[in-house]
Amino acid sequence: MEDASRLFGTGFTYFYDLLAIELRNLEALGLAQQKMLEGMGVLAQRQAEILDGTIRRSLEVRPSTNGSTSPVDLAINQIGSLKTTMQESQANSNILSELAARSSGEVANILQSRMMAALDELKTALEKAVPEKPAAMPAALVHQPSAPQLSTPA
């Protein structure tokens, strides 16, 4: 009971400290959300650039097939084009994955840093609210199980 009166008797500074911690947590969440949205924007912009490039390449004028090229030459050109497209797709996929990972890492770092700071702040607030460690409970108040009593018939 004495600890509770000390906790409430200090002008609610402990609760103000908790409120301040919570406000800083909300601020960190807002910053993390902002970073996440920025990352999603960069990712969407890059995807749009990739899509634009893909559409432009697919609409480019192809060499005419007026009979001067053989079907084998056309097949070889198509194979080369397919290989180039696959390599570009893999490179684009790698870029998108790296952008997403970087953005996620920044968000996780913001949240983890805030969690660590909040734990330190909570520890400090508790130490300020209850400066000395609570005294050990008297042995008479500690419940110690006794050996079971066996009743013997008389």
Side-chain angles (χ1 to χ4, degrees):
M1 201 60 155
E2 182 179 307
D3 288 336
S5 66
R6 238 185 316 182
L7 195 64
F8 293 110
T10 59
F12 294 102
T13 57
Y14 175 71
F15 293 106
Y16 290 135
D17 289 343
L18 289 181
L19 181 61
I21 290 169
E22 189 60 31
L23 289 175
R24 286 188 290 275
N25 289 347
L26 290 173
E27 182 182 340
L29 281 174
L31 181 60
Q33 286 177 332
Q34 179 183 355
K35 285 290 186 184
M36 185 175 58
L37 289 174
E38 288 173 5
M40 289 172 58
V42 169
L43 195 62
Q45 181 181 6
R46 184 65 179 140
Q47 286 175 324
E49 291 169 3
I50 290 168
L51 181 62
D52 183 53
T54 302
I55 291 172
R56 287 182 190 276
R57 279 190 304 279
S58 68
L59 296 177
E60 286 178 353
V61 177
R62 304 282 181 199
S64 63
T65 57
N66 57 8
S68 63
T69 56
S70 70
V72 173
D73 289 338
L74 286 175
I76 289 172
N77 287 340
Q78 287 297 322
I79 289 171
S81 178
L82 180 61
K83 285 176 64 176
T84 301
T85 301
M86 289 173 65
Q87 289 171 339
E88 288 174 356
S89 296
Q90 183 62 47
N92 289 332
S93 176
N94 290 344
I95 290 169
L96 293 175
S97 295
E98 186 177 318
L99 289 173
R102 187 180 306 140
S103 176
S104 297
E106 288 175 359
V107 169
N109 188 34
I110 289 169
L111 295 176
Q112 181 181 11
S113 297
R114 182 60 216 145
M115 177 58 80
M116 298 301 272
L119 290 172
D120 289 339
E121 293 165 1
L122 179 60
K123 178 183 172 189
T124 302
L126 283 170
E127 289 172 346
K128 192 168 59 171
V130 185
E132 69 271 349
K133 293 184 179 182
M137 237 181 190
L141 296 178
V142 176
H143 175 70
Q144 296 178 355
S146 58
Q149 297 293 326
L150 297 176
S151 61
T152 55

